[in-house]
Amino acid sequence: MPVRTPDPDPNEPSDDASRDPLGLGDGMGSLPGSAANPAWLSDVELAEMRRRLPMLYVEAIPVRTDGAGIVTQVGILLRATPLGEMTRTIVSGRVRYGETVRDALFRHLENDLGPMAFPLLPPQPTPFTVAEYFPIPGVSAFHDDRQHAVSLAFVVPVTGTCEPRQDALEVTWMEPAEAASDALSAEMEGGRGTLVRLALASVGALR
């Protein structure tokens, strides 16, 4: 299933004032370039770019840790697709032109988990893996029927209260074994069950 992480339109005064009902990944939908963000794309421009270029994403698996830094819980998002289907996913979204990876990661964590999530980002985040999403199933473990996307994936501890916004309905906190289960993997879009398992393996949370 395709990547779905809409962002608000930066031409609007409020972070929640404008959403992307089509799930175009970065909210680049309604307006062409402007003084606020000259790299903003219209729907037509975005579709053209997706036909010609790989798109750069960041993805994050939010976790809770104990005092020793051991992962105790994994946060999985519940979303409704445009067709009304319920699916599980993770924090995900595109990197904007001129934006650092760190800033993009923080922005999407705040968009999906709310401003009180308080993610702990290092000064220079390092992904645990690079995931490649292809529009043709079977090329890799990850699939996005709209585009070829390259995603930098991170494990991010959060210390605050998560209150999902935009198209995320809730965050379900699971023990690592449950998050890595086949049952959850079957509910996750785009092959992200594999990404969650890779994330848990990278922090030594798989048993």
Side-chain angles (χ1 to χ4, degrees):
M1 300 178 72
V3 177
R4 304 294 183 205
T5 305
D7 285 343
D9 187 331
N11 298 292
E12 296 292 335
S14 170
D15 283 347
D16 292 322
S18 177
R19 299 182 181 180
D20 175 13
L22 298 179
L24 294 175
D26 212 358
M28 297 184 177
S30 58
L31 297 175
S34 69
N37 188 346
W40 206 249
L41 301 176
S42 68
D43 289 341
V44 174
E45 290 169 331
L46 179 60
E48 183 66 18
M49 293 301 100
R50 281 179 163 153
R51 283 195 295 268
R52 293 174 177 268
L53 299 170
M55 309 301 289
L56 179 61
Y57 277 74
V58 290
E59 296 189 284
I61 291 87
V63 298
R64 303 279 194 194
T65 61
D66 62 16
I70 303 300
V71 171
T72 58
Q73 292 182 308
V74 181
I76 303 297
L77 296 176
L78 178 67
R79 283 201 176 103
T81 70
L83 298 179
E85 300 172 340
M86 305 303 289
T87 184
R88 296 284 186 177
T89 189
I90 57 176
V91 175
S92 175
R94 286 208 310 277
V95 179
R96 291 174 177 165
Y97 179 82
E99 183 178 45
T100 67
V101 168
R102 186 180 191 278
D103 286 346
L105 189 56
F106 186 87
R107 177 170 57 85
H108 288 296
L109 285 161
E110 185 176 78
N111 284 345
D112 281 351
L113 303 182
M116 303 303 291
F118 299 139
L120 299 178
L121 293 180
Q124 190 64 41
T126 302
F128 66 85
T129 194
V130 176
E132 295 183 272
Y133 292 82
F134 290 92
I136 302 172
V139 177
S140 76
F142 310 105
H143 173 238
D144 183 336
D145 58 13
R146 303 165 305 160
Q147 63 188 348
H148 175 195
V150 177
S151 174
L152 308 178
F154 303 83
V155 176
V156 180
V158 296
T159 59
T161 301
C162 296
E163 297 179 353
R165 305 192 300 171
Q166 302 194 46
D167 66 340
L169 303 177
E170 69 175 29
V171 180
T172 304
W173 291 98
M174 306 178 178
E175 293 184 354
E178 183 181 3
S181 67
D182 291 339
L184 180 68
S185 183
E187 297 179 19
M188 299 197 75
E189 61 180 11
R192 287 188 174 86
T194 298
L195 202 59
V196 171
R197 288 171 175 159
L198 289 172
L200 293 172
S202 74
V203 295
L206 284 185
R207 298 289 185 268

